[in-house]
Amino acid sequence: MSFRRKLVYTGRHFTPTWRYLFNLRSTLRYRRDREQPKGEAARIVSDLNRDGIAASHIDKLPEMWELYESLKDSVDQMEGEWEERISAARRETEGGEIGAKTFLLRLLGDNPRLDPESIYARIALHPLTLQIANEYFGMYTQLRYYNIWHTMTTRGPARESQLWHYDREDHLILKLFIYLSDVDESAGPFTYAPGTHRKGHVKSKPDSFEEKGVERWTDDQMAGLVAADKWITATGRTGTILFADTRGFHKGGLARGKDRLLYTCLYTSPSSQAPELFIRPEKITGSMDKSGKFALAPPSKGLFG
Ligand SMILES: O=C(O)CCC(=O)C(=O)O
């Protein structure tokens, strides 16, 4: 890495420069417009700030009931239409190249077309989900992808994101997961080491190993950093809503007994290097509030995003 790239990388990951150099505009605008979250949303933000993860349930967020019902209907229909493809993918789950994540099927494809009117975008851009994301970041955030994940059962050893790791695309990285199936221990629940996010109190990194050039941690290595009885294993019934800052240590998707179905989307700061995983239409149309427009603005290319 050249000296200049190293400097920019450090700036993007050092809180003051990340906020006041790379994301100044979205920080100041958010501070001017901010409305304090209340009730369940405030509780979610507070848990996120402390632990890096917060769980809720759709039953507690009535503002989102209608969208959630539409989401379930769309995904049920898709699962029906995809039956043969799911069976074919199931035969390929074991082995395969590291990186191919053969245990995971993305029902919207790897790069869905960004459609702000689709149920998948409307969930991510809902004023409540965006309020939680923006309040956690303290700035207007951007949406980088959404998808439906069908995680299939596997028998082989844990690999890729089934092993402990952390994401690196930004200083804070917020993922929303909405469970569309009951997720118990046998369905590969998302698992998190609380306090390991950038706002958290755990600042060190245990010894790691490499999986095809990517840094990973075994359970034993992770237990050396955060005791195993403190890990948050996000089991939950259908309708469970999970927000997690995946800059903290996490793993998931090691389903031994039954499949897992969920909706997910990703929010980052405008200056994040995370690639957008959807294909943008030439013009973005649709009725969106200010947070929604910010969330769909093209990623910032330089400073002061
Ligand atoms: O499938 C899971 O639960 C883990 C997901 C994960 O590692 C991620 O979204 O970064």
Side-chain angles (χ1 to χ4, degrees), residues 101 103-104 145 149 151 160-163 165-167 169 173 175 177 179 187-191 216 242 246 248 250-254 260 262 264:
K101 277 200 172 182
F103 56 88
L104 179 69
Y145 70 68
W149 287 356
T151 308
E160 299 153 318
S161 50
Q162 296 169 335
L163 292 162
H165 64 286
Y166 66 90
D167 300 342
E169 300 95 332
I173 304 168
K175 286 186 184 165
F177 301 98
Y179 289 180
F190 183 86
T191 305
R216 308 277 186 210
L242 203 64
T246 57
H250 64 282
K251 63 173 184 170
L254 186 63
R260 184 186 65 167
L262 56 79
T264 185

Side-chain angles (χ1 to χ4, degrees), residues 211-232:
E211 184 195 39
K212 215 179 158 198
V214 179
E215 203 176 14
R216 308 277 186 210
W217 287 264
T218 62
D219 282 358
D220 282 347
Q221 286 173 325
M222 192 49 53
L225 184 69
V226 176
D229 63 353
K230 298 273 187 298
W231 297 349
I232 293 175

Side-chain angles (χ1 to χ4, degrees), residues 252-269:
L254 186 63
R256 294 303 198 199
K258 66 178 185 201
D259 289 10
R260 184 186 65 167
L261 192 62
L262 56 79
Y263 165 89
T264 185
C265 67
L266 167 68
Y267 306 97
T268 66
S269 73

Side-chain angles (χ1 to χ4, degrees), residues 21 23 27 37 39 51 55 73 79 87-88 96 108 130 133 146 160 196 202 208 210 231 246 249 257 263:
L21 198 55
N23 292 296
T27 297
D51 295 332
D73 290 348
E79 282 271 295
S87 308
L108 301 183
L130 269 182
Y146 51 72
E160 299 153 318
T196 57
V202 183
S208 55
E210 273 198 13
W231 297 349
T246 57
F249 286 103
Y263 165 89

